[in-house]
Amino acid sequence: MIKPKKDDEAAELEISPSAHNSRRNFLKGLSIAAAACSASLVTGCLPDVKAESGEKFALQWKEYFKKHYRLMTQQEKEETVARLERLAKLQSGLDLQISTRAPRENVLYGYAFNITRCEGFMECVAACVKENNLDRKTKTQYIRVFEMKPGQLDPSTGDGKYFHEVPVDNKFYMATQCFHCENAPCTKACPTKATWREPDGIVVVDYDWCIGCRYCQAACPYFGRRFNWGKPSIPKEEVNRKQHYLGNRIRPMGKMEKCTFCIQRTREGKLPACVEACPTGSRVFGNLLDPDSEIRFVLKNKKVFRMKEDLGTDPKFWYFID
Amino acid sequence: MNISAWFPRWLHVSPLSVAGLLIVCFFTCVGNSIAVEESVLTRIGQATNPYDTTAVESVQPLLQETVVAKEKDQRGAFRVLARKKFIERYPCSSCHNGKPVLARNGEALTHGTVIIRHGMEGNGLTCIDCHHQDERNYLENKKGEKIDFDHSYLLCGQCHFRQKRDWLGGAHGKRVTYWAGERVVYNCTTCHNPHAPRFEKRFPATYSPPAE
Amino acid sequence: MEQTSRHGFPAFVKDVIVWNVTGGFGLQLYRLLLILGMGVGIYAYSFQARYGLSVTGMGDIVSWGLYISNFTFLVGVAAAAVMLILPAYIFHDPDFHRVVIIGEGVAVGALVMCLSFIMVDLGGPLQAWHLIPGIGQFNFPSSILAWDVVVLNGYLLLNGLVPLYILYNHYHGRKADERKYRPFVFLSIFWAFSIHMVTAFLYQGLPARPFWNNPLMGPRFLASAFAAGPALITLALAIIHHVTGYAIDRKIFQKLRLIIVVSAIINLIMLFSEIFKEFYFRTHHSISAAYLFFGLDGHNSLVPWIWTSIMGNIIATLILAFNPGKDNPKVLLPASGLLFIAIWMEKGIGLIVPGLIPSPLGEIVDYLPTWVELCVTLGVFSLGLTVVTWLIRAALIIEDKYEKSSQ
């Protein structure tokens, strides 16, 4: 032990034998406390450390160290999807089909919403929740429907939480969701490039790459993004088993999610669940690069506008009136 | 105050050149962000080549019965969902054939359950406005042409021509299941009850919970 | 005093550790309290690790809360070290030369707290390695958060390594070679301005949030940082003067007071400018300011908060400006403390939460931190204080010995 020289001001540094022992005990206690704290922290932090089987842990280990989805080869994508399917089987007994379908050539998805026709039935919201395996506990909803008074188009003047017979006279209905902007502020904000715009126009999130900083959620002007504040819970029989890696697979806790234009459906040529569910046909979806598509017809023949157009986000979701 | 004393000797460059460098950097950054002002609308406007929707191979044939529409949309021919199977008492000629009926069966045979709420209150449509007077298996438009129940849009479109134009293009109604592949759309009467076409008021399917 | 009997880095580290676990009863009690604070923080964080951020008061609308508020404020405190470095190294003020190492210790502690607040706020902290360029994906230069990661870590290195080099040399009784570290000191001066501007740009660059999307955020951040940071340093120096033997001249306090007053006045002018813009002609963009200052639709939980902060700010600024009592510490120290707290209130919760309310679609909610957030915050503050105490204690002992040896 170093015995520093005695100084008047540094007198407290002189180590007497009794102080030496108490210091040793103090240090001992401190290190035990630190070890206990860090052990409890680790067991609390690491997901599923008490894995029932070694297989689960091995799968989670490999999943933890995997690359960004965009950098994976097709084989790596298939491997990660196989691991995810296996983990789901082990953890909840679900048989999933997770797709890694790539974007289609010459396709750019666009969406139009008819604010004359919407009657506020919210079938779109219910269908979206089922299709995309959204958390039932917190009632996460990608789509928000607003009951609006005529005279203003700003959803902040509307009521987003109505629950009464619809439609109400002299009110119209307007829905919002992620608008898949071409100049998205959210993709610009993400520090790890965990969210990006795919070539077919869908803005997606790699849930396993996201670090949960929520900067994209602060950047979105349309309240398009949702965060998994807790672990999502969906009743097993309601889980939609046809999933896409970038779409409706069940998200981990602490990750961002959003509408993906039902990527698991649209890349197979199907309409998104909201479009299909709408009883009044207020929603139009299609390929913007196809001059004969319905969405192009709407853009050409109807008076369309986009929300908060002045922000320069260039969304691919238009509103129109009959 | 001698500003040059602020900088160590090895950083003794003329403040003017530093300022010039900063200005150049600034304008390149600003210029870059202005340069990418192109909206998606420009790209859409340039996309004039036809797109082959049959290229999406995962489109399966539909389970519902469809018929080829008698009009064309912007792409060409398209299909609509057939309706005749959903009409309870079709074919109408099974009763409307000139044979006498018993009075005691009258209640069961009348269309008394049909309440017409189509048109203005008190001055709305009547049965004969749409149904063919003689050939009950068909509808009749104002030109006297016979219209099949599967192609009722030809009749509806006479008055509701705006909706029909939109329906042909895709701004009204809905496609069935797929955005790709051959276009199959909902018929008018798939969604609208022709006798009371306005959607009924109802409770929403769900609600948005109040935020915390 | 001669040099220590052993040389080299291990001896230095060992001594630093020894100095920081020994001491009088008061010091040990203080250290125990800090450890308890950190323990409470870790216990609370274990809930967050297990159940996710749902145990906090944050939600999809108010997606940033107490953690990011404290982070924002503490970056300013870290940047304020430049207000000691500038006079010490540029103007060669001998008084400031004596205390600059304390300022750097406070800066390092504040930075450690900033990084800790970010880590506890992340939903996926285990995925933080995704940020590392090379093995992860780093969205530089598009994402301002990426810029922030770079500048904060760079500033931590600058403010950690330069004093480390100086202290290490002084520990061995050598004079530190000024030519070696002077360029880095100059760099850290510019860097200090940049860390706070970049942190301001995090919010300033979001078109979705009109409360933040104004050009005054960056300069306002600097003004409030240079008022609150030196206020904290004043308090720290006063404590050090009384508790340790390290004498700090009155002149330093007078000069610090001047820096604080100028910055605080500029801060108030900027506040007035913001209030004018929001309320002279109320547009839809002013709705967040209306929520903060006056409440909206019955939601007015932040109204008393912000007005208390503004009153405290004005009162403290006036006291420090007019200096009643002529540099009487009994007047100046409470005023500095009041100013620090007032700016913490306004720049922390008073900036982050209203920026997110109402939601982009106009929904209004209230935010209240939960016990988890409060305890984790306590833990992080304890950690920061621990770091600052460790650094300053080691620095003061070394500097004291060095001064005596060179006499």
Side-chain angles (χ1 to χ4, degrees), chain B residues 141-159:
Chain B
N141 67 9
K142 289 299 169 190
K143 290 191 208 164
E145 291 163 343
K146 271 195 322 207
I147 295 173
D148 190 272
F149 277 107
D150 281 338
H151 299 277
S152 52
Y153 51 87
L154 294 171
L155 171 60
C156 311
Q158 266 214 309
C159 295

Side-chain angles (χ1 to χ4, degrees), chain A residues 9 23 30 64 71 144 156 161 176 189-192 208-209 211-215 217-219 221 227 229 308, chain C residues 19 22 35 53-54 59-60 63-64 121 123-124 126-127 129-130 137 139 143 202 208-209 284 360-363 404:
Chain A
E9 285 93 31
R23 176 165 58 82
L30 185 63
Y64 181 73
L71 297 176
R144 297 297 311 279
S156 59
K161 293 191 266 286
T176 63
C190 177
T192 54
D208 295 318
W209 195 257
I211 60 173
C213 69
R214 308 188 296 291
Y215 195 29
Q217 195 169 36
F227 188 69
W229 299 96
K308 300 196 192 185
Chain C
W19 290 328
T22 55
I35 288 174
L53 288 161
S54 59
D60 278 325
S63 50
W64 280 339
D121 184 66
L126 292 174
Q127 274 80 30
W129 63 267
H130 290 171
Q137 288 285 296
N139 194 7
S143 167
L202 272 180
R209 311 285 173 182
H284 179 68
L361 299 178
E363 290 169 303
K404 291 197 170 60

Side-chain angles (χ1 to χ4, degrees), chain B residues 90-105:
Chain B
Y90 189 86
C92 315
S93 52
S94 55
C95 294
H96 293 274
N97 48 19
K99 287 202 244 167
V101 294
L102 293 169
R104 64 166 178 264
N105 294 333

Side-chain angles (χ1 to χ4, degrees), chain C residues 11-340:
Chain C
F12 173 73
V13 173
K14 199 174 207 170
D15 266 341
V16 168
I17 295 175
V18 162
W19 290 328
N20 277 301
V21 294
T22 55
F25 175 72
L27 199 53
Q28 298 290 48
L29 184 65
Y30 168 69
R31 288 191 190 124
L32 185 68
L33 284 173
L34 288 179
I35 288 174
L36 281 174
M38 287 194 277
V40 164
I42 290 177
Y43 172 70
Y45 187 74
S46 69
F47 278 82
Q48 202 176 287
R50 186 158 281 274
Y51 300 112
L53 288 161
S54 59
V55 299
T56 67
M58 298 185 274
D60 278 325
I61 293 177
V62 184
S63 50
W64 280 339
L66 190 59
Y67 297 150
I68 297 292
S69 307
N70 283 320
F71 156 77
T72 312
F73 176 71
L74 288 168
V75 177
V77 170
V82 75
M83 279 294 143
L84 294 185
I85 294 174
L86 201 65
Y89 287 98
I90 304 288
F91 304 127
H92 301 290
D93 187 316
D95 297 314
F96 274 101
H97 229 288
R98 198 170 148 68
V99 297
V100 72
I101 202 107
I102 295 169
E104 280 161 339
V106 169
V108 170
L111 277 169
V112 166
M113 284 197 272
C114 288
L115 296 172
S116 308
F117 272 121
I118 296 270
M119 284 305 290
V120 299
D121 184 66
L122 288 181
L126 292 174
Q127 274 80 30
W129 63 267
H130 290 171
L131 276 168
I132 302 172
I135 58 174
Q137 288 285 296
F138 199 53
N139 194 7
F140 188 91
S142 278
S143 167
I144 303 296
L145 243 178
W147 277 84
D148 217 20
V149 169
V150 169
V151 296
L152 285 180
N153 285 299
Y155 193 67
L156 183 62
L157 284 174
L158 279 171
N159 267 311
L161 295 179
V162 168
L164 180 68
Y165 172 76
I166 296 173
L167 285 176
Y168 186 65
N169 278 293
H170 288 191
Y171 173 76
H172 290 296
R174 297 192 288 266
K175 191 168 157 48
D177 188 359
E178 199 170 322
R179 290 169 308 166
K180 280 202 183 132
Y181 65 79
R182 206 171 160 78
F184 294 103
V185 170
F186 278 101
L187 189 60
S188 82
I189 291 170
F190 290 106
W191 205 280
F193 283 84
S194 84
I195 64 165
H196 217 29
M197 290 283 273
V198 168
T199 305
F201 288 169
L202 272 180
Y203 311 111
Q204 197 169 320
L206 301 179
R209 311 285 173 182
F211 188 66
W212 295 334
N213 193 215
N214 65 72
L216 202 54
M217 283 281 274
R220 178 108 197 268
F221 267 42
L222 288 173
S224 54
F226 297 147
L232 180 69
I233 290 172
T234 304
L235 290 170
L237 290 176
I239 294 172
I240 288 169
H241 182 78
H242 280 108
V243 163
T244 72
Y246 199 73
I248 294 170
D249 198 79
R250 235 175 188 209
K251 276 194 275 153
I252 297 175
F253 290 98
Q254 288 164 351
K255 290 177 185 174
L256 273 176
R257 184 185 71 84
L258 217 55
I259 294 170
I260 295 171
V261 166
V262 170
S263 303
I265 290 175
I266 295 175
N267 187 28
L268 283 173
I269 292 173
M270 290 183 177
L271 170 68
F272 178 64
S273 176
E274 280 187 8
I275 290 180
F276 175 79
K277 180 258 179 190
E278 302 284 19
F279 295 114
Y280 174 73
F281 197 99
R282 267 177 76 158
T283 66
H284 179 68
H285 291 232
S286 321
I287 199 166
S288 296
Y291 168 77
L292 175 64
F293 288 103
F294 303 112
L296 272 181
D297 284 350
H299 294 266
N300 51 9
S301 55
L302 280 182
V303 176
W305 179 268
I306 192 65
W307 286 110
T308 311
S309 156
I310 290 180
M311 286 300 121
N313 200 337
I314 292 175
I315 291 171
T317 306
L318 287 172
I319 293 176
L320 289 168
F322 287 108
N323 200 5
K326 302 289 174 208
D327 293 330
N328 183 355
K330 286 202 180 57
V331 172
L332 290 183
L333 293 179
S336 301
L338 179 63
L339 185 67
F340 181 79

Side-chain angles (χ1 to χ4, degrees), chain C residues 351-370:
Chain C
L351 176 74
I352 302 303
V353 174
L356 298 166
I357 296 173
S359 80
L361 299 178
E363 290 169 303
I364 304 165
V365 292
D366 281 314
Y367 167 75
L368 202 65
T370 59

